[in-house]
Amino acid sequence: MLDEPVTKTHSQVSGRREPAARTEKKKSALRRELSHLRKNRELFLLSLPGILYKLIFAYLPMVGLLIAFKNYRYDLGIFGSKWVGLDNFKFLFTTDTAWRITRNTVLYNVGYMLITTVAALLFAVLLNEIRAKWTRFYQTALFLPHFLSWVLVGYIAYAFLNHSDGFINRMLISLGMEPISWYQDSGPWPYILILVHLWKAIGFTTLIYFAGIMGISGDYYEAARIDGATKTQMALKITVPLLTPLIIIMLILSVGSMFRGDFGLHYFIPNNSGFLYASTDIIDTYVYRALREVGNVSMSAAVGFYQSVVGFVLVLLANGIVRRINPDHSMW
């Protein structure tokens, strides 16, 4: 009889100790974080502008995601508009062109990702073999297109592809061939878009891989030269394997944009020609035209939200697959 109250009292005391222990752990973790913040306050102050930039332009606007689930009206605002659930998402999936624009978006992004990766690796290896005094010249020549806007690149493409005065058609006429109506024939446009994207994007990706090559110890190459290895063998057996973690990280990040096409490339380069929609239209350009004609902000917000969620899931899946194959090469 006397043991029972003692047991209850012990359990009650132990029950009190568990929350107290958890509270103490939380306080200890908070103290460690504050101590870490004090020790590295200079670094945190340097990162403060970037943190504020992300907070203001990336996190605060996420309140606007509510528009995707509402019948947004300007006079009522975001919070006053009526909830409509998933009705706005039907806009994309019930259209006749849903399959076409989704297929184009995915296939183009896969092509851009693979071709740019291979070409950038090749150029990075070649840059590594050039004399130091010429390296900066080629780096600048490769990197310059990255800073050009798609509007300007669209004018450059038009100067080449214009039916009457375009450089390519003038060259064809001078060779006794018939000019091509580039903005009315959708056949060549997958190749044109891939070529233009490669020209504009290869410089930035090449510099990333070139920086990775700079971080590889020269002892590997010296040992390979002593063994009689050729330049090609050193690139395939040393450079590419040691760059594999960087290549995988770049591919994982690219996978996140698989459902989000490059609007500027697919809108300005084909000059928004209706003859080319079958081969150049992607989700982003289709939604832009629908928004311009219908003016429904909620539908476009729903499509943007859908693209972001799918991209996030794809990044998680890609990283999970890489982690299962080789944990050392995954992002987390």
Side-chain angles (χ1 to χ4, degrees):
M1 295 291 293
L2 294 176
D3 292 340
E4 187 176 351
V6 174
T7 306
K8 288 182 179 179
T9 305
H10 179 70
S11 64
Q12 290 171 357
V13 172
S14 124
R16 289 193 197 99
R17 283 176 181 171
E18 288 179 3
R22 285 198 295 268
T23 305
E24 190 61 32
K25 282 184 179 179
K26 289 181 181 178
K27 289 182 179 179
S28 177
L30 181 60
R31 290 193 200 100
R32 286 197 303 269
E33 290 298 326
L34 290 175
S35 175
H36 179 66
L37 182 63
R38 282 194 296 270
K39 290 178 181 178
N40 300 278
R41 55 182 177 271
E42 294 87 357
L43 295 177
F44 281 108
L45 285 174
L46 286 173
S47 64
L48 188 60
I51 295 173
L52 290 176
Y53 175 84
K54 282 293 181 183
L55 180 65
I56 295 172
F57 294 102
Y59 287 96
L60 290 180
M62 290 181 72
V63 178
L65 292 176
L66 295 174
I67 297 176
F69 304 94
K70 292 193 170 192
N71 182 18
Y72 179 70
R73 287 177 50 183
Y74 295 98
D75 55 338
L76 298 177
I78 296 177
F79 299 103
S81 300
K82 180 183 176 182
W83 287 94
V84 294
L86 300 176
D87 289 348
N88 291 321
F89 292 86
K90 297 178 183 178
F91 158 70
L92 178 64
F93 298 105
T94 58
T95 58
D96 298 333
T97 56
W99 159 248
R100 186 193 73 197
I101 59 178
T102 303
R103 177 204 63 194
N104 287 350
T105 304
V106 173
L107 290 181
Y108 273 120
N109 281 324
V110 171
Y112 297 154
M113 180 175 62
L114 296 180
I115 294 174
T116 303
T117 299
V118 174
L121 276 172
L122 177 61
F123 274 85
V125 172
L126 293 176
L127 274 178
N128 192 43
E129 300 298 329
I130 296 174
R131 292 182 182 179
K133 66 177 183 179
W134 290 103
T135 302
R136 290 188 178 181
F137 170 77
Y138 287 110
Q139 285 178 346
T140 305
L142 284 171
F143 202 49
L144 182 61
H146 175 75
F147 295 102
L148 301 180
S149 69
W150 280 119
V151 177
L152 179 58
V153 177
Y155 280 114
I156 295 173
Y158 186 76
F160 276 87
L161 303 176
N162 184 21
H163 179 72
S164 57
D165 299 321
F167 175 77
I168 296 179
N169 277 347
R170 281 184 173 275
M171 187 173 63
L172 292 176
I173 293 172
S174 65
L175 295 174
M177 303 172 65
E178 290 293 326
I180 300 174
S181 299
W182 297 101
Y183 292 101
Q184 295 180 6
D185 184 7
S186 62
W189 275 94
Y191 308 101
I192 295 174
L193 291 176
I194 289 175
L195 183 63
V196 173
H197 178 273
L198 185 64
W199 174 74
K200 195 172 188 298
I202 192 172
F204 182 77
T205 312
T206 298
L207 288 184
I208 292 176
Y209 290 136
F210 182 67
I213 293 175
M214 292 292 98
I216 298 175
S217 174
D219 296 338
Y220 295 107
Y221 298 103
E222 188 63 31
R225 290 190 192 96
I226 294 173
D227 290 339
T230 63
K231 297 288 187 181
T232 304
Q233 290 173 331
M234 286 190 286
L236 295 177
K237 300 295 183 179
I238 298 175
T239 306
V240 174
L242 291 177
L243 284 180
T244 299
L246 179 60
I247 296 171
I248 291 175
I249 290 174
M250 295 289 289
L251 289 177
I252 290 174
L253 294 175
S254 299
V255 165
S257 303
M258 194 70 70
F259 271 73
R260 189 177 295 278
D262 194 328
F263 172 80
L265 171 62
H266 287 264
Y267 186 81
F268 292 109
I269 304 304
N271 208 19
N272 194 29
S273 174
F275 296 101
L276 309 178
Y277 287 164
S279 61
T280 64
D281 211 14
I282 57 174
I283 295 176
D284 300 76
T285 54
Y286 178 80
V287 171
Y288 171 75
R289 288 198 308 274
L291 177 63
R292 190 176 60 181
E293 295 171 6
V294 180
N296 193 323
V297 179
S298 300
M299 291 179 181
S300 60
V303 176
F305 180 69
Y306 159 73
Q307 289 176 299
S308 299
V309 170
V310 172
F312 177 69
V313 172
L314 287 175
V315 168
L316 292 179
L317 289 176
N319 187 75
I321 293 171
V322 173
R323 190 171 63 243
R324 283 182 173 274
I325 298 173
N326 191 336
D328 295 333
H329 292 166
S330 62
M331 295 181 65
W332 65 85

